[in-house]
Amino acid sequence: MLLITGGSGFVGQNLARYFGPRRRTVTTYFTHPPSASAERSIQLDIRDANTVFSAFDRERPEVVIHAAGNKNLKLCEDNPDEAYQVNAAGTQNVARACRRVGARLIYLSTDLVFSCVEGNYKESDLPEPALAYGRSKLLGESFALAESDQVAVCRSGGIYGKGSPLLKWFVSEIEAGKTVECFTDVFNTPTYVDNLGEMMETILEQHLAGVFHTVGRERVSRFEFFRAYAETLGLNASLLTPVSFKGLKDTLLLQADSSLAIAETAKKLRLTFNSVSEGFRRLQESGGV
């Protein structure tokens, strides 16, 4: 049985939708039960070790994808202790519960474990997170890897797919004829969530462990990302206005370049890492957002 934590979140729900037809899948949620994309869902507060242990003892998962966490950058920055309790200590609780029941663990980490100054970070590069969120996720990596040699850390970022709040907002703005300002100097490696599922599935099937960069293969700016989506949908791309993020960096907690290199991960997984346009085409073929 596959257990996916954070099943009510955007990524967790999409992973449950991906894995549901392939494996018996159970999800967890903190406050709001997810839509029916898994066999069932259970309430779980990952900050409570005893509760996590009890749930794992009862469910006996064979594999766990740990996608739960506090992903609100501003909230984490303002409340670093809370970020630690959820993203670091909570991950440690899940990892210990996995070791307790003999389950393999995939931990969904982030591209923001790096300084995000130069970009194109390799799996072996030294993480130097600038934000409390990245620091808490990096501690989660360390805690998970310390618990077992059956742990795979999947760093990802810019994840999009069905139900993407960002893409829904973008479409509504463009269809309303509004101008959308897009940053030309904020870069990452966007990831189509089904492609992320394929990467995780390969890691599970091949019994791989260690640190992986599970992102799309293309480094793009925010402007290039939105323009590609507008072109895929046949929207009015002329409404996109290129702007710089300088001056808004501290307000929006933007990071200049969180792009990840995938060469080492690609050698191990040997599958297709989607470009942005390929991911958007797949999304549209599946029914869109």
Side-chain angles (χ1 to χ4, degrees):
M1 183 266 281
L2 167 64
L3 179 71
I4 300 176
T5 68
S8 59
F10 161 67
V11 175
Q13 288 197 66
N14 273 278
L15 290 176
R17 179 183 53 77
Y18 175 84
F19 281 102
R22 295 166 171 82
R23 294 170 178 258
R24 180 177 165 229
T25 302
V26 173
T27 62
T28 76
Y29 66 93
F30 179 43
T31 53
H32 304 292
S35 58
S37 53
E39 177 180 299
R40 56 195 172 84
S41 192
I42 60 173
Q43 197 279 332
L44 186 66
D45 183 351
I46 61 172
R47 299 171 299 181
D48 187 328
N50 290 331
T51 298
V52 174
F53 294 161
S54 296
F56 277 53
D57 287 346
R58 183 176 64 252
E59 299 296 333
R60 310 301 295 186
E62 299 166 293
V63 177
V64 174
I65 295 177
H66 179 40
N70 187 337
K71 305 171 182 67
N72 186 315
L73 299 187
K74 181 69 164 59
L75 187 60
C76 289
E77 202 66 18
D78 292 342
N79 303 276
D81 290 341
E82 183 177 339
Y84 172 86
Q85 289 301 321
V86 177
N87 296 334
T91 298
Q92 185 175 51
N93 293 336
V94 171
R96 286 178 172 172
C98 285
R99 178 165 56 84
R100 180 184 176 109
V101 300
R104 296 178 59 221
L105 172 62
I106 288 182
Y107 170 46
L108 181 60
S109 189
T110 175
D111 49 7
L112 298 182
V113 298
F114 294 104
S115 61
C116 301
V117 174
E118 297 178 353
N120 201 36
Y121 296 102
K122 300 188 294 294
E123 294 86 342
S124 58
D125 284 342
L126 179 67
E128 294 180 296
L131 299 176
Y133 170 71
R135 291 191 289 272
S136 66
K137 293 293 285 185
L138 181 60
L139 278 172
E141 289 187 11
S142 299
F143 289 156
L145 291 167
E147 289 299 323
S148 170
D149 58 3
Q150 294 295 306
V151 173
V153 171
C154 288
R155 293 172 180 157
S156 196
I159 302 172
Y160 63 92
K162 284 187 177 297
S164 169
L166 181 63
L167 292 181
K168 283 185 173 181
W169 167 83
F170 174 71
V171 171
S172 67
E173 293 293 291
I174 294 296
E175 289 183 339
K178 297 180 181 179
T179 298
V180 178
E181 293 186 343
C182 305
F183 300 117
T184 58
D185 48 2
V186 174
F187 295 87
N188 68 356
T189 32
T191 312
Y192 177 45
V193 70
D194 281 21
N195 198 206
L196 174 62
E198 291 162 350
M199 298 174 200
M200 290 180 168
E201 187 175 26
T202 300
I203 288 170
L204 293 175
E205 290 176 345
Q206 297 183 12
H207 297 274
L208 300 176
V211 176
F212 302 88
H213 283 182
T214 49
V215 292
R217 72 171 186 266
E218 190 175 15
R219 171 185 176 271
V220 297
S221 68
R222 289 281 184 90
F223 177 78
E224 292 168 323
F225 177 78
F226 284 122
R227 182 177 61 187
Y229 194 58
E231 291 172 350
T232 299
L233 269 64
L235 300 174
N236 185 2
S238 68
L239 291 173
L240 276 64
T241 301
V243 296
S244 172
F245 88 117
K246 294 173 182 175
L248 294 173
K249 178 181 179 182
D250 294 335
T251 302
L252 300 179
L253 300 178
L254 291 169
Q255 303 300 289
D257 195 337
S258 61
S259 59
L260 302 181
I262 62 169
E264 292 303 314
T265 296
K267 286 180 185 177
K268 296 175 182 177
L269 302 192
R270 297 182 180 180
L271 50 74
T272 299
F273 288 67
N274 291 154
S275 67
V276 170
S277 60
E278 288 168 347
F280 285 153
R281 282 198 298 270
R282 292 184 64 187
L283 176 58
Q284 289 311 106
E285 289 168 359
S286 70
V289 295

